């Protein structure tokens, strides 16, 4: 009888237990007991994962392996053909290092759109309306605080600039339509009229110069790291509001703190940080900054859907040799 391929689990299955178990009809399910990156690399070098065809990894498995980078990927056994990442953002995986080894990478787009855009909406409303100072003072027994917090602003009629018009950006656009905001966007590629849904395409610079609220909805990679820094803050309207549910390192946090301190930026809503779980002290101490601890996808429904999606990718990889949600960088490699 032919031996079954192996599937390596890095991290935990928290919800989709039945689906995960059902994979055992196709593959031997194995998991690492490594307590950290050094131990995991040793396991790889010792041939512990030989025969593994697909890897299911979670965001939190960073604690076990660290980043899937150009040091780790070459140490994976030659049998590994697929890395299935449970998350829409896959900056924890060096896709080029995987492509060099002909390893295909998948992620879980789509499943996260609604819930991430919901947090985005919460941050836009919270930051524009300036709720945070009052929410802090009420818990200190101070009602709205003394002096009173400055008046907030209505979303209606404000220009929202969405940087990155993928699934989350487009979902956010629809939500903001309900608040009568004027939506402009910038994206690597201009979208069809149908996908843009009435949002106007503008250059990055025009978006920075004309938006009242800027929402970052683009992936983190070498081209987008610190895409928003001192120069970009200087181009923005004075008193701009910024929200980020994408990845912290898209913003240069030290430059953001300066822009807040000079009132160039009026308020900020953040779900993600440059060096999670550390938060820049200048953000932590500023009541005009709403801080959410990376909870964009933190709902029962979405966590479950993400796991199911990732398991479907593993199943399809093992059964049919194809990933359902191949990362965009590798789509051309397929041709
Ligand atoms: O941050 C969450 C995700 O990338 O899915």
């Amino acid at each position: 009888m032919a031996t079954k391929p192996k599937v390596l689990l890095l991290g935990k299955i928290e919800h989709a237990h039945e689906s995960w178990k059902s994979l055992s009809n196709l593959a031997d399910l194995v998991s690492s007991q490594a307590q950290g990156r050094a131990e995991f690399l040793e396991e790889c070098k010792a041939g512990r994962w030989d025969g593994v065809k697909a890897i299911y990894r979670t965001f939190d498995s960073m604690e076990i392996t660290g980043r899937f980078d150009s040091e780790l990927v070459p140490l994976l056994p030659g049998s590994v053909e697929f890395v299935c990442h449970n998350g829409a953002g896959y900056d924890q995986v060096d896709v080029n290092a995987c492509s060099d080894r002909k390893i295909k990478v998948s992620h879980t787009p789509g499943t996260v759109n609604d819930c991430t855009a919901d947090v985005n909406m919460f941050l836009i409303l919270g930051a524009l309306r300036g709720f945070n100072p009052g929410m802090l003072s009420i818990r200190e027994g101070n009602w709205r605080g003394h002096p009173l917090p400055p008046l907030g602003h209505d979303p209606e009629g404000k220009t929202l600039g969405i940087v990155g018009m993928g699934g989350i950006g487009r979902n956010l656009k629809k939500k903001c339509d309900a608040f009568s905001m004027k939506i402009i966007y910038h994206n690597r590629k201009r979208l069809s009229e149908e996908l843009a849904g009435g949002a106007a395409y503008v250059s990055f610079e025009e978006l920075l110069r004309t938006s009242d609220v800027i929402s970052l909805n683009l992936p983190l990679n070498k081209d987008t790291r610190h895409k928003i820094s001192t120069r970009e803050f200087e181009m923005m309207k004075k008193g701009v509001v910024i929200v980020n549910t994408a990845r912290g390192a898209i913003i240069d946090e030290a430059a953001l703190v300066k822009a807040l301190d000079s009132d160039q930026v009026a308020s900020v809503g953040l779900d993600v940080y440059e060096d999670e779980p550390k938060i820049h002290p200048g953000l932590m101490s500023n009541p005009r900054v709403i801080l959410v601890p990376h909870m964009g996808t933190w709902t029962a429904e979405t966590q479950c859907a993400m796991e199911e999606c990732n398991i479907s990718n593993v199943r399809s990889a093992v059964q049919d040799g194809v990933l359902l949600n191949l990362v965009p960088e590798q789509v051309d490699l397929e041709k």
Side-chain angles (χ1 to χ4, degrees), residues 59 85-91 108 112 116 245-247 272 294 297 306:
F59 189 86
H85 174 73
N86 185 18
Y90 47 90
D91 45 292
T108 63
V112 307
T116 309
T245 60
R247 285 293 181 262
V272 287
H294 202 148
T297 62
M306 288 168 75

Side-chain angles (χ1 to χ4, degrees), residues 296-308:
T297 62
W298 198 248
T299 69
E301 296 81 0
T302 297
Q303 289 294 316
C304 200
M306 288 168 75
E307 288 190 357
E308 292 289 358

Side-chain angles (χ1 to χ4, degrees), residues 122-123 125-138 140 142-152 241-242 256-257 260-261 263 265-270 273 279-292:
F122 168 83
L123 293 175
L125 292 176
L128 251 182
R129 294 287 305 268
F131 285 139
N132 207 43
M135 286 167 72
L136 294 172
S137 62
I138 193 173
E140 285 164 2
N142 251 338
W143 194 233
R144 288 188 197 132
H146 309 285
L148 286 171
L151 288 172
V241 169
I242 300 178
L256 172 61
V257 168
L260 275 158
D261 289 347
D263 291 334
V265 172
S267 57
V268 178
L270 299 174
Y273 307 87
I279 315 247
H280 192 297
L283 298 175
M284 197 71 137
S285 61
N286 191 328
R288 288 182 287 132
V289 181
I290 301 181
L291 304 167
V292 175

